[in-house]
Amino acid sequence: MTERSAATGPRRRGSAATREAILEAATNRFASHGYGGSGAREIAADAGVTAALVNRYFGSKEGLFAEVIERAFDSGDLLGGARADLAARLARRMVFGREDTKDISRTPMLLLLRSATEPRAAELLRANLDRTFMRPLAKLLGGPDAEVRAGFVAAQLTGFATLDQMIQSEAFTGIEREDLVAHLTVVLDYLLG
């Protein structure tokens, strides 16, 4: 199929490459302009495709946003493994990012901060967080207050990410990253109980 590229003119691209180009463009646009400030036409132009292709692959802007947050907030097997070192695994992920990426990605925090004020985006973010992190963590923790403890863990991680990745607080910039892991591990150990 021939698709129009805003930068280079017509070109041939496979469906997997087209889908990936749309996801990349949407991730960048949602992270910089939020859910409400991003439209299918702008995302399509950024990807070098038509708005019709965006809808063909994802059904709607909402479907596209759901896919973007699914990828951005993918915790992989983070909650798998031994319960004893869960706090250390969570802390290391927050300080150093995912092992399969080259650097710490601010994308999840940008998506959260720029889109959480939009009611439908907030619903999608909440549903993803509940399904992929909160409920699995609560199940792993067990006990009558497991959901509350999981919520406090998520709040701690979000707060840390905000100060470290977004605001780049001096409290965290002047300390060795391994020391940050150690401090965050202590806090998370307490919350995980």
Side-chain angles (χ1 to χ4, degrees):
M1 126 186 14
T2 301
E3 295 159 5
R4 191 176 151 285
S5 168
T8 61
R11 67 178 157 180
R12 302 234 352 125
R13 183 190 293 169
S15 62
T18 299
R19 189 173 198 288
E20 187 60 34
I22 294 168
L23 278 169
E24 186 176 322
T27 300
N28 292 334
R29 182 136 316 246
F30 288 136
S32 61
H33 299 287
Y35 180 79
S38 302
R41 284 189 174 96
E42 293 88 7
I43 292 167
D46 293 348
V49 300
T50 65
L53 278 176
V54 172
N55 290 329
R56 179 174 149 206
Y57 283 100
F58 300 97
S60 64
K61 181 174 95 167
E62 184 178 300
L64 178 56
F65 186 72
E67 182 79 19
V68 165
I69 60 175
E70 184 73 27
R71 287 172 39 140
F73 289 95
D74 178 22
S75 60
D77 64 349
L78 186 60
L79 297 179
R83 165 88 163 68
D85 65 350
L86 178 58
R89 286 195 315 273
L90 290 169
R92 183 158 297 283
R93 171 70 65 87
M94 292 311 298
V95 172
F96 291 109
R98 290 172 42 173
E99 291 179 8
D100 61 345
T101 62
K102 295 178 185 168
D103 58 358
I104 295 174
S105 172
R106 296 171 19 157
T107 300
M109 286 307 301
L110 289 169
L111 289 167
L112 182 67
L113 293 172
R114 299 232 166 90
S115 296
T117 59
E118 297 286 333
R120 185 58 186 140
E123 287 177 30
L124 292 168
L125 286 162
R126 182 176 38 258
N128 179 276
L129 179 64
D130 286 347
R131 181 178 48 77
T132 64
F133 186 76
M134 301 289 283
R135 284 194 297 263
L137 179 58
K139 183 178 178 181
L140 181 64
L141 295 176
D145 63 346
E147 290 179 8
V148 173
R149 289 184 5 244
F152 275 111
V153 169
Q156 178 65 46
L157 296 175
T158 303
F160 175 82
T162 300
L163 287 175
D164 184 51
Q165 298 171 18
M166 304 307 297
I167 296 172
Q168 299 179 341
S169 170
E170 288 181 17
F172 297 149
T173 59
I175 186 172
E176 292 293 323
R177 302 304 284 175
E178 286 294 341
D179 290 338
L180 275 179
V181 171
H183 288 300
L184 187 55
T185 299
V186 170
V187 173
L188 294 172
D189 261 332
Y190 175 78
L191 293 173
L192 291 168

